[in-house]
Amino acid sequence: MVAIVTAEDIAMRYGTMSILKGVSFALEAGESLSLIGSNGAGKSTLIRCLLSLEPITAGRISLFGREIQNLKPSELRSSRCRVGVVFQEHNLVPRLSVLSNVVHGALGRNTQTFGSMISGITLWSHIIAGSAHRERAMECLERVNLADLAHRRADTLSGGQSQRVAIARALMQEPDLIIADEPAASLDPIAGEEVMGLFSELCREAGVSLIFSTHNISHAVDFADRMMAMKSGKISIDCPTGSVDLQALKAEYA
Amino acid sequence: MRRAAVPPRFGNRPISGILAIILFLLVSAWCFDGSGFSITQLLGSSEYLLRFLREAFPPIDEHRLTFDQFHRYWLALIETFQMAFVGTLLGLVIGFILALFASRGLMFESRRSNLLQWSVKMLISLFRTVPDLVWAIIFVMVVGLGAFAGTLTIMVDTIGFCGRFFAEEMEDVDRSSAEALSASGARRFDIVFAAVVPAATPGLITTSLFAFEKAIRSSVVLGLVGAGGIGLELQSLMNWMAYDRAMVIIGMIFALVLVVEQLSTYLRKLVMKNER
């Protein structure tokens, strides 16, 4: 198996505060990994570092065999476009239609050549997008069961629907990896369950790898093959979800 | 019975606050002194005001208003509207483009781009802080008397107004959806137009409507320095002391401004109705 994400001894400081202290792990293709830990343990920071939304202060991160520090902007974009991202909330552009938001997923794929600079403009809204992109976007919406809401404005959706649209947008990227930061945290239990189920199902179907963080230990165990627990900036547990002692974990992290 | 003591009136007020109030009063007194404001002078000159009003009403008395003249005023009013419209339109487009570069961390994010952002901001400030009448005088000098000078003036004024507020609106937009797109590898240019501009649209539209209202009001005055429109007619009538006909023009200006303001208020409400 090939490692698609490797973190080697990464550290991250914010002023004088040390948030990540020597985190190392590797994720193989097709693997799904859940991250748990209390607030401030460094889950979100780790995820933001993997997405290079925050700079790390020491160590190395490679995505798809390529180190992501010191990349040129165009190289960074080409590695980012293989990673679908879903945040806790406010993923979508509120005033645009659901379909336009899904079409945006193709923006990253469209920056590689000079000619695509022009065609990138057509992805600003589904109204001007090419029919191939519109059809693909509809397929992605069908896979999250929201095809009938394609023309609704994104800010009229419920929390669960918004997350499903965000997943559809990530699928539009045809990603090799999906990274989600507490995707179910602002949803009610049923919608949260639905969204997590969708993630693991889609990832298993398409062979996409998955990293997600959560406060819900049963989600962490049920929807991933492997689990990492973080504690004050370090990885304290890293094990397959099959061998986890749920009671002990709950006592410590919930 | 009551346990809590009544707090002293000026107890916890800092001394600096009291000094600020005293300073404000002193400055006000000083400025009143310099401004020449005088109630007695205002009341004493009521004679002139009465003369103006007596001659102005009824508006078409001594100097019979012919159809030709009214037609001329009407054309001048239309010209004023056209000046304001075209000037605003061009100003909006250029102001929007400048605002993209003046907005913090929008198009670029590097040390070098901070200099660019700062210079564009300064340029916009220059357009905004120089008063429109001064621009009008300059443009009359450059392109000659007439509507074109007025249109250019309004354009520059609108660039200054919209450049600033467009930039602020785009800075204030919630950037989380932009960040999500950025994390998916989209280019900055695409992110701006796919995420930031759509989210800022209601603000951009209301600012544009305000800019148009402002342009209508200032286009009326621009005629006074020869930059076309109905202001020119008004000025010459006032010079000839044809107050009755001047009153007709004032009435027409009032109607135009009122109609445009009402329309713009209505449109603004329409835009905001769809927002939460």
Side-chain angles (χ1 to χ4, degrees), chain A residues 31-54:
Chain A
E31 206 178 5
S32 56
L33 168 71
S34 57
L35 272 176
I36 61 167
S38 50
N39 287 329
K43 301 185 303 293
S44 290
T45 308
L46 175 59
I47 281 178
R48 292 181 65 83
C49 288
L50 293 179
L51 297 168
S52 61
L53 291 172
E54 304 283 353

Side-chain angles (χ1 to χ4, degrees), chain A residues 86-109:
Chain A
V86 178
F87 291 116
Q88 182 178 338
E89 46 187 349
H90 305 305
N91 287 294
L92 306 179
V93 182
R95 300 187 71 262
L96 293 184
S97 67
V98 165
L99 192 56
S100 291
N101 269 292
V102 178
V103 165
H104 286 171
L107 278 171
R109 293 250 165 214

Side-chain angles (χ1 to χ4, degrees), chain B residues 130-144 149 152-153 225:
Chain B
V130 175
D132 50 356
L133 275 183
V134 176
W135 284 118
I137 292 168
I138 294 171
F139 283 126
V140 165
M141 204 173 69
V142 176
V143 301
L152 287 176
T153 304
V225 294

